[in-house]
């Protein structure tokens, strides 16, 4: 066995459906571009600039779709090829067969790591380009405003409401950051507990009455932890295996504590979402008044486009860390398969643990594949349909058609619901 039995859980994903956090940000991005496009329709130079950035985003979403489809395919290969092959290798005591498929799986993972890293870097560059465009628009706006009328009293009142909502949003963001720190602390406790379970000599529920527990390690948990990189799945697996009253109590305490923290965080995020929608509504009202008064509206929609792109980039960065972790776990499993004390050649004492772990692993990986497919589908819609508004020029619309399009986009934005999955995917 390797010198250290410690399972390093940093960058481990808490839930297999974390990737779905991409969905609201991806949908919101196109709609915010649409609003910005409508608001800049009377300014041809800025309209062209915005069109360029929107097209770049559309193309980037198309590339994201392709990367997520690779994630779907790899998850499917792990469920249908790697895990069954490891099971056969264990049943027939053929470590060379396990090695063959572990090496093949590593090739899949290395390819995905390369592709996800590339797309993360592209989001970084693109967001910088959007920020530069935003700066250019602000400069243009300042020049235009020198020749425009002063704000009406109604505009001033709305501006004050917008500023108050922005301050509320800033405060709730700070509270969410504090909640993240509390969750990170709780995750550290869970990490220590999982490692203590892997190294414990306390009694585990035997999957076969005659199967002894290996000294100093909980085979089922240790193996499962290397096959399934989702913390909630690992804790669920542990809760089924431990019989020690103290360990059962600790599992329940840790799960309840994390659940309470994540629920509190979700309530904060729901408040954040509510404030964002109210802020958006007031900003739209203010933009409309300015347009009617012959003034150039604020470009706050583009600021939020940057926020959405940043959220997508961060989740894809989490996906990159995730696949790197999977690669590390596969390496560990491969090393232990052929180590001096070998896990597969000496499976007589733990074969049933291994087989049960593989069966249990399929569920988590299947769910992850489904989540990636949902994310792939939404990016497909975004890249193929959501940017059709670029086919028309907002300056060509009549006042009635402009109003109709404006209200339609606003309604769609208001109907987007925040995903319930933790935005930062809760890692250890």
């Amino acid at each position: 066995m390797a010198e250290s039995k410690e399972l390093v859980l940093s960058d481990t994903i808490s839930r297999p459906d974390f990737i779905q956090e991409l969905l609201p940000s991806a949908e919101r991005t196109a709609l915010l571009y649409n609003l910005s496009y409508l608001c800049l329709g009377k300014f041809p130079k800025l309209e062209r600039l915005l069109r360029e950035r929107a097209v770049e985003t559309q193309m980037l979403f198309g590339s994201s779709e392709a990367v997520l489809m690779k994630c779907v395919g790899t998850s499917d290969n792990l469920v249908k090829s790697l895990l069954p092959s490891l099971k056969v290798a264990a049943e027939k005591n053929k470590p060379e067969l396990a090695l063959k498929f572990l090496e093949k799986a590593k090739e899949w993972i290395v390819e995905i790591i390369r592709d996800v890293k590339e797309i993360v870097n592209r989001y970084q560059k693109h967001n910088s380009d959007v920020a530069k465009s935003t700066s250019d628009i602000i400069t243009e706006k300042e020049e235009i405003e020198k020749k425009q009328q002063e704000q009406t009293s109604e505009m001033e009142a709305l501006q004050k409401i917008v500023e108050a909502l922005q301050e509320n949003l800033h405060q709730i963001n700070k509270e969410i950051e504090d909640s993240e720190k509390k969750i990170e602390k709780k995750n550290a406790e869970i990490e220590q507990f999982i490692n203590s379970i892997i190294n414990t000599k306390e009694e585990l529920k035997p999957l076969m009455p005659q199967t002894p527990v290996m000294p100093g390690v909980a085979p089922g948990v240790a193996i499962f932890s290397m096959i399934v990189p989702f913390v909630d799945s690992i804790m669920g697996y542990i809760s089924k295996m431990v019989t020690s009253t103290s360990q059962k109590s600790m599992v329940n305490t840790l799960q309840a504590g994390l659940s309470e923290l994540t629920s509190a965080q979700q309530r904060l995020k729901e408040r954040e979402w509510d404030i964002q929608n109210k802020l958006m509504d007031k900003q739209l009202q203010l933009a409309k008044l300015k347009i009617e008064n012959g003034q150039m509206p604020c470009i706050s929609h583009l600021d939020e486009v940057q926020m959405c792109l940043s959220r997508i980039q961060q989740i894809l960065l989490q996906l990159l860390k995730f696949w790197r972790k999977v690669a590390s776990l596969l390496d560990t499993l491969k090393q232990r398969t052929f180590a001096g004390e070998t896990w597969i050649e000496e499976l007589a004492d733990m074969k049933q643990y291994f087989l049960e772990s593989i069966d249990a692993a399929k569920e988590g990986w299947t769910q992850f594949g489904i989540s990636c497919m949902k994310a792939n589908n939404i990016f497909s819609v975004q890249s193929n349909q959501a940017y059709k508004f670029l086919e028309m020029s907002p300056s060509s619309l009549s006042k009635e058609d402009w109003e109709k399009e404006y209200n339609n986009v606003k309604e769609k934005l208001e109907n987007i619901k925040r995903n319930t999955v933790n935005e930062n995917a809760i890692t250890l």
Side-chain angles (χ1 to χ4, degrees):
M1 202 68 64
E3 289 182 7
S4 173
K5 298 170 185 146
E6 191 82 1
L7 177 69
V8 180
L9 292 169
S10 57
D11 298 329
T12 298
I13 300 301
S14 182
R15 302 167 54 127
D17 56 355
F18 78 97
I19 195 68
Q20 290 185 59
E21 265 292 334
L22 290 166
L23 309 191
S25 293
E27 290 178 315
R28 202 171 178 90
T29 298
L31 294 170
L32 290 166
Y33 266 128
N34 197 342
L35 279 179
S36 300
Y37 194 56
L38 287 169
C39 291
L40 295 176
K42 294 182 179 180
F43 307 92
K45 176 183 175 182
L46 301 182
E47 180 186 325
R48 287 194 299 273
L49 179 60
L50 185 67
R51 179 192 294 272
E52 290 176 8
R53 292 295 172 253
V55 168
E56 289 171 5
T57 300
Q58 183 182 18
M59 294 174 64
L60 188 55
F61 279 8
S63 298
S64 302
E65 174 192 355
V67 169
L68 286 164
M69 182 54 73
K70 277 195 174 183
C71 292
V72 173
T74 301
S75 299
D76 191 58
N77 284 337
L78 290 173
V79 171
K80 295 181 179 178
S81 180
L82 176 64
L83 295 178
S85 299
L86 290 178
K87 194 170 181 178
V88 170
E91 289 170 339
K92 296 185 177 181
N93 293 330
K94 291 188 175 180
E96 67 280 358
L97 181 62
L99 178 63
K100 174 183 175 183
F101 282 96
L102 285 170
E103 289 177 342
K104 184 63 178 176
K106 183 63 180 295
E107 292 177 11
W108 304 332
I109 307 304
V110 168
E111 184 176 346
I112 282 188
I113 288 173
R114 184 194 65 230
D115 292 345
V116 176
K117 182 178 180 181
E118 179 183 348
I119 204 77
V120 167
N121 290 337
R122 286 179 60 188
Y123 270 95
Q124 178 70 37
K125 181 182 183 303
H126 179 58
N127 213 352
S128 296
D129 292 341
V130 173
K132 184 179 184 303
S133 298
T134 302
S135 177
D136 292 343
I137 293 174
I138 290 174
T139 301
E140 184 75 11
K141 182 176 183 292
E142 290 172 349
E143 291 297 320
I144 292 172
E145 284 180 343
K146 291 178 182 178
K147 306 172 185 179
Q148 292 178 331
Q149 305 171 47
E150 294 295 326
Q151 289 196 135
T152 66
S153 59
E154 188 177 3
M155 289 182 199
E156 291 175 352
L158 273 173
Q159 185 63 45
K160 289 179 180 178
I161 295 174
V162 165
E163 290 171 359
L165 286 169
Q166 288 173 330
E167 178 60 31
N168 289 344
L169 187 59
H170 177 70
Q171 181 60 38
I172 200 73
N173 286 337
K174 286 179 62 178
E175 292 181 36
I176 290 174
E177 288 178 9
D178 290 341
S179 74
E180 287 292 345
K181 292 176 182 177
K182 292 178 181 177
I183 288 174
E184 287 174 6
K185 184 177 179 181
K186 181 61 65 176
N187 281 334
E189 291 181 41
I190 295 176
E191 175 184 357
Q192 292 176 359
F193 176 71
I194 291 176
N195 281 320
S196 73
I197 283 291
I198 291 175
N199 291 295
T200 189
K201 294 184 180 181
E202 289 193 40
E203 179 184 4
L204 296 175
K205 183 192 301 180
L207 299 178
M208 294 180 65
Q210 70 274 20
T211 303
V213 176
M214 288 182 65
V217 70
V221 177
I223 296 169
F224 187 80
S225 299
M226 280 188 284
I227 299 175
V228 181
F230 308 114
V231 173
D232 63 342
S233 298
I234 297 173
M235 290 296 284
Y237 195 78
I238 289 173
S239 68
K240 295 176 183 178
M241 296 187 69
V242 296
T243 57
S244 163
T245 302
S246 62
Q247 287 184 341
K248 278 185 176 294
S249 176
M250 180 59 73
V251 170
N252 293 334
T253 298
L254 289 171
Q255 288 179 322
L258 184 58
S259 178
E260 181 179 349
L261 289 172
T262 52
S263 294
Q265 185 188 65
Q266 186 58 36
R267 289 191 293 271
L268 285 173
K269 289 183 176 181
E270 287 169 359
R271 283 175 54 198
E272 177 194 38
W273 194 255
D274 182 58
I275 294 172
Q276 285 177 339
N277 282 335
K278 288 179 180 177
L279 177 60
M280 177 194 71
D281 181 58
K282 298 303 178 183
Q283 287 171 333
L284 291 178
Q285 290 180 37
L286 183 58
K288 203 169 162 188
L289 282 175
K290 287 193 173 186
I291 291 170
E292 291 172 353
N293 202 41
Q295 298 183 32
M296 182 177 171
C298 177
I299 54 162
S300 56
H301 311 315
L302 278 185
D303 292 336
E304 194 172 349
V305 165
Q306 289 177 246
M307 290 172 60
C308 289
L309 290 173
S310 293
R311 287 192 190 108
I312 294 171
Q313 180 187 349
Q314 288 303 311
I315 295 167
L316 290 174
L317 181 60
Q318 191 67 25
L319 184 65
L320 175 62
K321 293 179 179 178
F322 164 76
W323 283 119
R324 283 174 172 166
K325 183 63 184 178
V326 173
S328 175
L329 292 174
L330 289 178
D331 279 341
T332 301
L333 186 59
K334 185 171 67 174
Q335 290 166 8
R336 293 190 177 186
T337 298
F338 283 84
E341 301 101 284
T342 171
W343 279 25
I344 291 186
E345 289 180 350
E346 295 182 0
L347 271 174
D349 291 338
M350 55 182 291
K351 181 181 294 186
Q352 192 64 20
Y353 285 111
F354 193 89
L355 298 178
E356 292 285 344
S357 297
I358 289 175
D359 287 338
K362 289 183 179 179
E363 181 181 353
W365 277 109
T366 299
Q367 291 177 3
F368 177 69
I370 292 172
S371 294
C372 287
M373 178 57 78
K374 290 179 180 178
N376 167 269
N377 289 340
I378 197 67
F379 272 114
S380 177
V381 170
Q382 292 301 304
S383 63
N384 294 319
Q385 300 177 26
Y387 289 81
K388 287 189 174 181
F389 65 87
L390 294 172
E391 296 173 3
M392 62 85 183
S393 172
S395 58
S396 67
L397 297 174
S398 66
K399 182 177 180 181
E400 292 75 18
D401 288 340
W402 188 96
E403 184 91 19
K404 182 179 178 180
E405 181 68 16
Y406 187 90
N407 289 332
N408 181 46
V409 177
K410 177 182 173 183
E411 182 180 357
K412 288 179 180 178
L413 271 167
E414 290 171 345
N415 288 334
I416 295 176
K417 303 298 182 185
R418 174 178 284 280
N419 196 288
T420 56
V421 180
N422 183 11
E423 185 167 278
N424 290 322
I426 309 176
T427 61
L428 291 179

